[in-house]
Structures are given as structure tokens and as C-alpha cells.
Amino acid sequence: MSDAIETAKKYIEDNNCKEALKLARKRHGKDDVEDYLTILDLLIDADYLLAVEEKGMYYQYYDKSHDNGDYGEKYFDQYLEKQPRSINVISDKALSRFNKGKIDEAIELMDKALDKYKSYSKIEKPRISKKEVLLGKIELLIQAKRYDDALSNLNTYENQFGGDEKSDLYKGQMLQKTGKNEKAIEYLDKSLQNEDTIIGFNAKGDALYDLKQYKDALKNYKTCINYESKIEDDLELVTNFNYKAAFCCVKLDDEQEAIKYLNKTINMLNEHGRLPNDLEMIYQKCSFEKERIMKKGEVKDEEFRKTRFFSARTSIIILIIILILYVILRYMGYH
């Protein structure tokens, strides 16, 4: 038994669970997960409720398997059995539900957390502000693609707390998603003045694209493309600004440049095998557009020209080898 665990036991025996939890967190900070979890279990056995949430948070964020995909929810449920009005843990559970793909349930829990702010328990003052809970709900609505609801909640947020860098970005996005493109640009410009973000430039590009201002839209998409290596894991976003850059070029009569972006988008989506319906539609749209341009015969496909082919002599040698192998296999009885 380690010295840390022995010390934690003494703290618990002296009813000093707060220090034992601090010690557990220190062990976690030093990557000593075994001692960290052992101390948490000792605290849980001693009915120290904060250790239950702590263990749930470990599986929420740090455990590679997230406790086989549970994301700490069973610990949050255990906590809520004893403290059902905990805004902190209701919000924690909302994230667990979200990570399990239960987005509507996650949003319901965030609504519940907001409602609890009217009369939260004095036993546990929320560490998460009402502002943060509302913003968390808005982020879940955006993930669920419930853009009208997200915009409505952003208006509530702005009325209660005023605008800020993050809410300006989200509101600009949602205004664009709901067809209010000119107003969207106002909010996105405010957001981009504070911080350059790919999401902001992409949304501004989309607003300009919808307004048929293709030259300015292309500038924003090219900015996204310059930094796309930072968001390689977001296929939907990367696909959007690449394929729309292609169609901006088409609208601007620069089909040679359009082919470059069409090839890039097609190849990128090819690498991902089976695609969701929306990305499959983009793939087909790009393929048809490339075919349309190439049929005109006015544009050279530079990527096609880079493709290497075997020489005639090499091709004949390969064919002879294949025929020899075929004869050998037939001789050995393979059909």
C-alpha cells in the first residue's frame, strides 16, 4: 500500500475528506491513476459525495474507454440519488447523455439544470454559472442541428448576459443557418475581430455564398483551407469550405481552379468509405460538376496528368508473368 493511500486513510479517519480528495487529485496530476481511483473509492465508502462526482468526471474525460462508453453516468446517477437538485451533476449527466448520442435527453437535462437555478440547494452552491449552463444548452442545440431553437436561446442569452465572443460566433452561425445572412455577417465580423476562427470564417463564407458574393466568399473559404490541418477530424466542416470554394470558382469562371478543389473534395471523401447522406450528396455534386467541366474540353485535369502509367514494355512483362502464373496454377489443379 502506497504512502499516499495510507495518508488518505488517516485523513478520512479524522473526518478530513476534503484533504483526502485534494491528495487524490494530486496523484491524478502525477499520472498515478491507481492511487487516485483507490483514494476515491475509500472516500465513496465513507459516503463523501464529491468523490462520486469526481470518479464520474474521470470516466467522462480521462479514461480511454470512458468506462466502456458509460461516460461516468452511473456515478452521476448515484450522486443524484442523494442530491437530486445538484445543478453541477445534472449538467455532468447531460454531457454523458450527449456523448452516448442521446442529444434530446441531454438538452432536457440542461433545461432541468436551468430550472433548478430558481431554487438551488444551499447544501451545494453551483460551480457552473447560469450563463455557462445556458451556453452549454445552446452548444447541444447546435450539435443537434436545431438551429431555430439555438437562435432563440441565443437571444435569451444576449438579453440576460449581453453578447460576448462565443455568443457572437454562435449567433452569427445560427443567423446564417436560418437564412438571415446579412445580420449573420454583422455578428461574425464582431466575433472575428476578437479571434480568428475557422468556424467563423466558414460561416461568413457561407453567408456571402448565399448572398451570391462569390469573390468575398472564396476569400473566407481560402482562409479556412490555409488552416484546415488544425481540424482534420471535422470532415463535415472541411468538406464544406473545400467544395464551396470549388463552386465559387465555377461562378467566377475559373474552372481550372475549380477542378483543383473538386479533385481535393472527391479524393478526401473517397478516403472515408461509406458516407452520411449529406456528404454523399456533396460527393455526387462534385463528381457531376467535374464531369461537366471536363466534357467541355477547355480545362486540363492536372491531377489526372500526374497519374503514372506503366510503359508498354513493362505492361507486356506484367501480362506474361500473369499468364505464366495462370498456367502453373492450372497445372497444379486450381480452377
Side-chain angles (χ1 to χ4, degrees):
M1 189 176 294
S2 72
D3 291 342
I5 292 172
E6 288 287 359
T7 302
K9 281 185 172 182
K10 290 177 182 176
Y11 281 138
I12 294 167
E13 287 170 4
D14 293 339
N15 292 319
N16 196 353
C17 292
K18 187 175 180 180
E19 286 301 317
L21 183 57
K22 283 183 183 178
L23 179 58
R25 288 170 175 165
K26 285 179 183 177
R27 299 317 304 161
H28 190 205
K30 294 183 180 295
D31 293 325
D32 186 352
V33 174
E34 187 176 347
D35 274 12
Y36 169 68
L37 292 176
T38 300
I39 295 170
L40 290 184
D41 286 338
L42 290 171
L43 285 163
I44 290 169
D45 289 341
D47 291 325
Y48 190 60
L49 208 50
L50 289 180
V52 177
E53 185 192 14
E54 180 79 20
K55 195 166 184 181
M57 297 286 276
Y58 169 75
Y59 289 115
Q60 179 85 270
Y61 295 105
Y62 302 105
D63 179 57
K64 288 182 180 179
S65 76
H66 301 286
D67 197 16
N68 295 316
D70 185 62
Y71 289 91
E73 187 170 6
K74 66 186 176 187
Y75 295 101
F76 302 140
D77 284 340
Q78 184 180 335
Y79 190 108
L80 290 169
E81 283 177 12
K82 296 185 177 181
Q83 188 59 265
R85 301 186 65 81
S86 171
I87 294 167
N88 299 333
V89 181
I90 292 170
S91 300
D92 294 335
K93 182 173 178 175
L95 187 55
S96 295
R97 293 273 85 195
F98 173 77
N99 286 324
K100 292 178 180 181
K102 307 292 185 181
I103 298 176
D104 288 340
E105 292 178 24
I107 292 167
E108 286 176 13
L109 284 163
M110 294 304 280
D111 278 333
K112 186 176 179 181
L114 284 167
D115 185 62
K116 297 299 180 195
Y117 251 99
K118 295 174 183 175
S119 58
Y120 63 78
S121 170
K122 293 180 179 179
I123 297 172
E124 180 190 288
K125 185 176 180 179
R127 67 169 183 277
I128 304 170
S129 69
K130 186 175 182 181
K131 179 179 176 179
E132 290 170 320
V133 175
L134 181 53
L135 197 60
K137 179 189 174 184
I138 289 164
E139 289 169 344
L140 291 177
L141 288 166
I142 293 171
Q143 290 293 326
K145 298 187 177 181
R146 288 169 52 180
Y147 302 132
D148 286 315
D149 289 339
L151 184 56
S152 175
N153 279 269
L154 279 160
N155 290 334
T156 300
Y157 180 97
E158 200 171 44
N159 289 335
Q160 290 185 10
F161 308 110
D164 54 48
E165 186 177 311
K166 190 172 280 191
S167 70
D168 286 342
L169 174 60
Y170 290 158
K171 189 162 184 181
Q173 277 185 285
M174 295 306 99
L175 286 165
Q176 189 280 316
K177 293 289 188 184
T178 53
K180 303 171 183 70
N181 291 296
E182 291 180 352
K183 195 69 177 175
I185 291 170
E186 290 180 24
Y187 276 89
L188 291 167
D189 280 341
K190 279 201 293 182
S191 171
L192 290 168
Q193 282 174 3
N194 290 315
E195 183 183 7
D196 290 346
T197 60
I198 292 178
I199 291 173
F201 283 114
N202 178 73
K204 186 176 178 182
D206 285 350
L208 291 163
Y209 186 93
D210 288 348
L211 292 168
K212 303 187 188 311
Q213 296 178 30
Y214 300 115
K215 187 175 180 180
D216 289 336
L218 183 58
K219 287 180 184 177
N220 282 273
Y221 293 138
K222 283 186 173 181
T223 300
C224 296
I225 289 165
N226 288 337
Y227 297 99
E228 70 180 68
S229 60
K230 295 182 178 180
I231 51 157
E232 289 175 341
D233 58 335
D234 193 334
L235 182 61
E236 185 176 349
L237 179 58
V238 175
T239 298
N240 183 76
F241 54 69
N242 275 289
Y243 104 86
K244 283 186 177 168
F247 281 90
C248 282
C249 292
V250 171
K251 296 291 185 181
L252 295 167
D253 295 321
D254 188 353
E255 292 184 336
Q256 186 66 65
E257 188 76 355
I259 285 292
K260 181 179 79 173
Y261 292 120
L262 289 169
N263 279 333
K264 182 181 175 187
T265 306
I266 291 166
N267 292 338
M268 178 172 60
L269 293 176
N270 264 331
E271 291 174 2
H272 286 80
R274 188 174 179 84
L275 296 166
N277 288 340
D278 53 346
L279 292 182
E280 180 63 34
M281 287 176 65
I282 291 171
Y283 176 83
Q284 296 296 336
K285 184 177 181 179
C286 290
S287 298
F288 291 145
E289 186 62 21
K290 179 181 175 180
E291 185 178 357
R292 183 193 69 80
I293 293 171
M294 298 310 298
K295 276 183 177 178
K296 292 166 66 176
E298 299 172 1
V299 172
K300 293 179 180 179
D301 187 347
E302 296 295 334
E303 182 163 317
F304 179 79
R305 290 175 64 197
K306 291 176 186 176
T307 305
R308 296 177 65 89
F309 295 95
F310 293 120
S311 66
R313 181 173 177 273
T314 304
S315 298
I316 291 168
I317 292 170
I318 291 171
L319 182 58
I320 291 169
I321 292 170
I322 291 170
L323 287 170
I324 291 169
L325 287 171
Y326 174 75
V327 171
I328 292 170
L329 291 170
R330 286 295 297 261
Y331 179 78
M332 294 174 66
Y334 290 95
H335 298 284

